């Protein structure tokens, strides 16, 4: 069982008009593994994430999630199968409270039917109460318990990021896709984020696909790294090796770096 | 405390016909029907964020369903009421389908087109709908259980009380719906559709249920109206009705439970205080709408809540 990867992307391709944003990229995320997806701006990382989570349809290639082909499934079905994501540009339901944002992500795991909740059948009420309790526990885990009833719009960016992580966790995902979770965070908050992601993997056994700009985050967290440049995979391996790979260095700082370094 | 206040308001409204005359009772009855219509529109437009200018069409579909059923099959109100609700709901589903692909202005235009098509069908398909002259509808008449007549719904007062009972039941059902998971999911779809599907919500189903619920409520109001007015004509269900319902929802406060109720009562009773200017009520509604949208985007209720927060 453990040999079956949680996610296997095979030869994914996506074009926008004449631009090939993602060109024949394959990657795999094993169980309880943290895989990094890195690359310079415009290298196709975000497109790759959207292909995996289903916001965009792929023009070619296949996606195997937990042993099943999900290539043609819409995003909400992928979420139901156990794929959660966070967004590069923070996304939360802004007119709802912190707790309600979490509850919504747990709807897909609820057993009582819609009708049961409307007539307030006892089992449905009990389930709702236990989910609220779970939401509070998770918020406590992220030091956000006191904000549970506040509107999310009243929180700071750093806190909103944590709500996004809590929202992913409450849906009990097999794979959590984090799209630049460190973006916009202050250095101490980045440290906290690294600890939290480590704990998410260790305490919940979760597999994580991490898209990141911040090399420190990548180095501290990732078991494997896949590097994209102009939509093509240019390197993969363990982080220490990849960051020294001349091809990767060139992609990040351009071919003139040696000349400029000498000057 | 809150329950007591609601009970008190309902009791006061129920006692009104003893105090005021027939004309005022009629205005109150209209207000109740508009409360149902505006609350219905609020489900789809206020909570789910899918704008619709077709509430008047669903109102008409409900009314004509009962008129045609009683003409062709001779069935009475108690049979026609659920059928009218169901038929309106079905057409709501139909209008919901384009809403899966269209947003904002484009969706609004499609709902206007739908409203126009329904009006034209009611006014031109003479053999089926009676055309411009409309159709007569019998009164609800005696309501009996196990052979004994409990009460009769024929007088204006009895219609008013009956509509009040139905409105309270429907509003209670809507309130439960909004407290349940589906209410939360509608808000989620309105706030951010991409995120809603990313957390696993079936946005297609969410939008369609909102359209069906909204249309079904209008259908219910339509069936009652047809019997109370003893007849239907296409001009009772024009786009002006839809526009009025939109104005009520927005002026009162869309996306809140109480807002559209306040808006409906306010805009139904307002022309009565205008005397000779009542003719220009649509003009006035338009001005009110512009003022609300620019100065009070959350409607009267939103404003009241803000003020209350500031002073507490």
């Amino acid at each position: 069982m453990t040999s079956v990867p949680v996610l296997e992307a095979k030869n994914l391709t996506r074009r926008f008009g004449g631009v090939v944003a993602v060109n024949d990229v394959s990657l795999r995320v094993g169980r309880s593994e943290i895989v990094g997806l890195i690359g310079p701006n415009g290298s196709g990382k975000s497109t790759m994430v959207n292909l995996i989570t289903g916001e965009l349809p792929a023009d070619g290639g296949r996606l195997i999630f937990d042993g099943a082909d999900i290539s043609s499934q819409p995003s909400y079905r992928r979420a139901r199968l156990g794929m959660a994501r966070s967004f590069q540009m923070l996304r939360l339901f802004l007119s709802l409270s912190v707790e309600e944002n979490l509850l919504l992500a747990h709807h897909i795991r609820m057993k009582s039917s819609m009708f049961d909740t409307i007539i307030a059948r006892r089992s449905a009420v009990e389930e709702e109460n236990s989910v609220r309790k779970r939401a509070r526990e998770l918020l406590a885990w992220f030091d956000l318990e006191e904000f549970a009833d506040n509107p999310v719009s009243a929180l700071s960016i750093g806190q909103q990021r944590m709500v996004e992580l809590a929202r992913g966790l409450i849906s009990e995902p097999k794979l959590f896709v984090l799209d630049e979770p460190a973006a916009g965070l202050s250095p101490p908050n980045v440290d906290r984020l690294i600890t939290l992601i480590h704990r998410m993997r260790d305490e919940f056994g979760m597999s994580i696909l991490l898209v990141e700009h911040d090399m420190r985050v990548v180095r501290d967290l990732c078991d494997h790294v896949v590097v994209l440049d102009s939509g093509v995979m240019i390197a993969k391996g363990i982080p220490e090796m990849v960051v020294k790979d001349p091809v990767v260095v060139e992609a990040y700082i351009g071919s003139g770096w040696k000349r400029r370094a000498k000057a | 405390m809150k329950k007591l206040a609601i009970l008190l308001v309902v009791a006061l409204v129920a006692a009104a016909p003893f105090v005021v005359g027939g004309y005022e009772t009629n205005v109150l009855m209209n207000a109740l029907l508009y409360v149902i219509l505006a609350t219905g529109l609020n489900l789809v437009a206020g909570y789910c964020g899918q704008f619709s200018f077709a509430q008047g069409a669903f109102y008409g579909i409900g009314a004509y369903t009962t008129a045609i059923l009683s003409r062709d099959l001779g069935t009475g109100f108690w049979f026609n009421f659920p059928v009218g609700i169901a038929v309106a709901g079905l057409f709501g589903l139909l209008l919901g389908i384009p809403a899966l692909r269209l947003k904002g202005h484009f969706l609004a235009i499609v709902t206007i087109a739908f409203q126009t098509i329904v009006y034209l069908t009611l006014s031109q398909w003479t053999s089926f709908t009676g055309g411009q002259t409309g159709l007569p509808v019998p009164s609800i008449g005696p309501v009996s259980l196990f052979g004994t007549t409990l009460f009769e719904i024929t007088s204006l007062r009895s219609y008013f009380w009956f509509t009040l009972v139905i409105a309270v039941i429907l509003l209670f059902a809507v309130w439960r719906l909004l407290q349940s998971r589906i209410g939360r999911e509608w808000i989620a779809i309105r706030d951010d559709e991409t995120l809603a599907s990313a957390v696993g919500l079936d946005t297609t189903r969410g939008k369609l249920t909102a359209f069906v619920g909204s249309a079904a409520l209008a259908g219910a109001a339509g069936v009652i109206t047809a019997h109370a007015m003893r007849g239907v004509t296409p001009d009772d269900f024009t786009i002006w009705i839809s526009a009025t319902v939109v104005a009520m929802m927005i002026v009162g406060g869309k996306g809140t439970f109480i807002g559209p109720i306040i808006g409906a009562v306010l805009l139904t009773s307002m022309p009565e205080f205008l005397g000779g200017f009542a003719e220009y009520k649509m003009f006035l509604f338009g001005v009110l709408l512009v003022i609300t949208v620019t100065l009070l985007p959350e409607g009267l209720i939103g404003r009241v809540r803000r003020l209350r927060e500031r002073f507490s």
Side-chain angles (χ1 to χ4, degrees):
Chain A
M1 253 324 270
T2 43
S3 62
V4 180
V6 171
L7 179 81
E8 219 180 339
K10 294 180 176 170
N11 314 99
L12 286 185
T13 298
R14 169 75 199 193
R15 295 180 200 91
F16 292 108
V19 182
V20 189
V22 169
N23 193 356
D24 201 29
V25 176
S26 301
L27 65 81
R28 53 160 53 210
V29 182
R31 245 158 249 280
S32 299
E33 233 179 22
I34 302 180
V35 174
L37 182 61
I38 63 172
N41 280 327
S43 59
K45 303 186 298 289
S46 287
T47 308
M48 189 67 188
V49 165
N50 288 335
L51 293 179
I52 290 170
T53 57
E55 260 84 58
L56 281 174
D59 293 320
R62 291 206 307 148
L63 265 176
I64 315 292
F65 184 64
D66 207 19
D69 190 326
I70 57 159
S71 312
S72 56
Q73 303 271 21
S75 64
Y76 79 90
R77 283 199 189 278
R78 295 184 192 191
R80 286 174 188 205
L81 290 171
M83 199 190 277
R85 73 166 294 184
S86 74
F87 291 84
Q88 184 181 359
M89 295 292 168
L90 264 165
R91 276 187 124 134
L92 292 163
F93 299 117
L94 290 176
S95 56
L96 293 172
S97 73
V98 171
E99 186 188 59
E100 284 171 316
N101 266 272
L102 262 59
L103 294 182
L104 269 163
H106 193 73
H107 279 191
I108 51 172
R109 299 281 171 256
M110 283 168 100
K111 285 171 196 76
S112 42
S113 73
M114 201 70 93
F115 185 71
D116 287 343
T117 65
I118 293 167
I119 61 166
R121 177 175 261 163
R122 198 161 69 195
S123 62
V125 174
E126 278 167 7
E127 191 183 21
E128 175 101 4
N129 287 339
S130 79
V131 177
R132 278 180 197 275
K133 203 170 145 241
R134 175 93 189 104
R136 299 271 165 166
E137 281 168 15
L138 266 177
L139 288 174
W141 210 76
F142 286 97
D143 284 327
L144 288 169
E145 206 183 1
E146 57 187 305
F147 303 108
D149 296 319
N150 290 28
V152 280
S153 50
L155 301 187
S156 70
I157 297 292
Q159 289 167 329
Q160 290 188 0
R161 283 258 176 236
M162 296 303 150
V163 175
E164 260 202 322
L165 293 184
R167 176 183 74 207
L169 280 183
I170 201 169
S171 69
E172 300 156 20
K174 293 175 188 140
L175 174 71
F176 199 165
V177 182
L178 300 170
D179 194 354
E180 302 207 14
L185 292 190
S186 62
N189 271 330
V190 173
D191 290 335
R192 231 183 114 222
L193 180 80
I194 291 172
T195 319
L196 283 169
I197 294 176
H198 257 305
R199 286 182 63 194
M200 276 160 56
R201 191 256 301 269
D202 298 342
E203 288 173 35
F204 297 90
M206 200 174 289
S207 316
I208 292 165
L209 178 65
L210 179 72
V211 177
E212 195 44 76
H213 243 31
D214 191 327
M215 277 305 168
R216 186 166 62 100
V217 178
V218 174
R219 231 188 292 219
D220 284 359
L221 283 170
C222 297
D223 301 313
H224 295 280
V225 180
V226 171
V227 191
L228 294 185
D229 185 32
S230 307
V232 183
M233 186 173 73
I234 54 168
K236 64 174 178 179
I238 58 169
E240 287 79 10
M241 300 298 288
V242 165
V243 294
K244 286 182 195 136
D245 189 328
V247 183
V248 175
V249 174
E250 189 179 320
Y252 264 88
I253 42 186
S255 53
W257 69 281
K258 270 183 187 160
R259 199 169 1 106
R260 278 200 296 275
K262 274 178 202 159
Chain B
M1 180 59 204
K2 212 168 183 179
K3 271 180 193 161
L4 204 72
I6 294 168
L7 221 65
L8 198 71
V9 170
V10 173
L12 276 175
V13 175
F18 293 116
V19 188
V20 300
Y23 179 77
E24 288 84 357
T25 305
N26 196 31
V27 173
L28 281 172
M29 163 103 184
N30 261 326
L32 283 177
L33 292 168
Y34 274 114
V35 164
I36 300 174
L37 289 171
T39 298
L41 178 65
N42 193 34
L43 298 185
V44 73
Y47 282 90
C48 198
Q50 312 297 310
F51 216 82
S52 168
F53 262 106
Q55 201 66 344
F58 298 120
Y59 189 37
I61 288 168
Y64 269 83
T65 301
T66 193
I68 290 166
L69 281 177
S70 57
R71 180 193 65 189
D72 293 351
L73 303 176
T75 49
F77 175 83
W78 297 103
F79 176 81
N80 297 358
F81 188 54
V83 177
I85 292 174
V87 172
L90 210 66
F91 276 95
L93 187 68
L94 199 71
L95 182 63
I97 292 167
L100 301 175
R101 296 185 158 271
L102 300 169
K103 287 185 206 310
H105 306 82
F106 302 102
L107 175 62
I109 289 168
V110 169
T111 63
I112 292 173
F114 176 81
Q115 163 77 49
T116 310
I117 292 167
V118 170
Y119 173 76
L120 288 175
T121 309
L122 296 182
S123 61
Q124 304 302 315
W125 192 1
T126 314
S127 59
F128 188 56
T129 65
Q132 280 295 352
T133 45
L135 293 171
V137 180
S139 200
I140 297 178
V143 178
S144 45
L145 198 68
F146 306 120
T148 47
T149 301
L150 298 176
F151 49 89
E152 240 180 81
I153 305 175
T154 41
S155 70
L156 177 59
R157 274 188 189 184
S158 57
Y159 267 106
F160 170 75
W161 285 319
F162 178 68
T163 311
L164 180 64
V165 171
I166 297 285
V168 168
I169 294 171
L170 291 177
L171 289 181
F172 180 71
V174 166
W175 187 74
R176 294 259 19 148
L177 202 65
L178 293 174
Q179 297 301 307
S180 79
R181 249 155 57 196
I182 186 80
R184 213 185 282 146
E185 291 184 10
W186 284 339
I187 297 176
I189 292 170
R190 178 191 70 194
D191 275 10
D192 189 335
E193 212 179 315
T194 308
L195 177 57
S197 32
V199 300
L201 304 181
D202 186 345
T203 55
T204 299
R205 199 184 63 166
K207 283 190 207 171
L208 290 179
T209 47
F211 267 96
V212 170
S214 164
L217 281 171
V223 174
I224 298 172
T225 273
H227 288 274
M229 309 293 283
R230 310 280 197 283
V232 290
T233 67
D235 287 339
D236 299 329
F237 311 106
T238 57
I239 192 155
W240 299 113
I241 302 286
S242 295
T244 306
V245 176
V246 167
M248 288 167 172
M249 177 188 72
I250 290 176
V251 170
K254 65 180 193 297
T256 63
F257 180 77
I258 197 84
I261 299 175
I262 307 269
V265 173
L266 201 71
L267 294 206
T268 321
S269 49
M270 190 180 290
E272 308 307 325
F273 301 109
L274 295 176
F277 287 108
E279 262 184 76
Y280 305 107
K281 69 172 184 186
M282 287 317 284
F283 171 75
L284 188 77
F285 289 176
V287 171
L288 262 179
L289 204 55
V290 172
I291 293 175
T292 314
V293 170
T294 47
L295 299 178
L296 317 164
E298 292 162 35
L300 287 175
I301 283 306
R303 189 76 211 160
V304 169
R305 282 191 184 154
R306 282 279 147 101
L307 289 174
R308 209 164 52 190
E309 271 166 31
R310 191 177 300 170
F311 290 113
S312 68

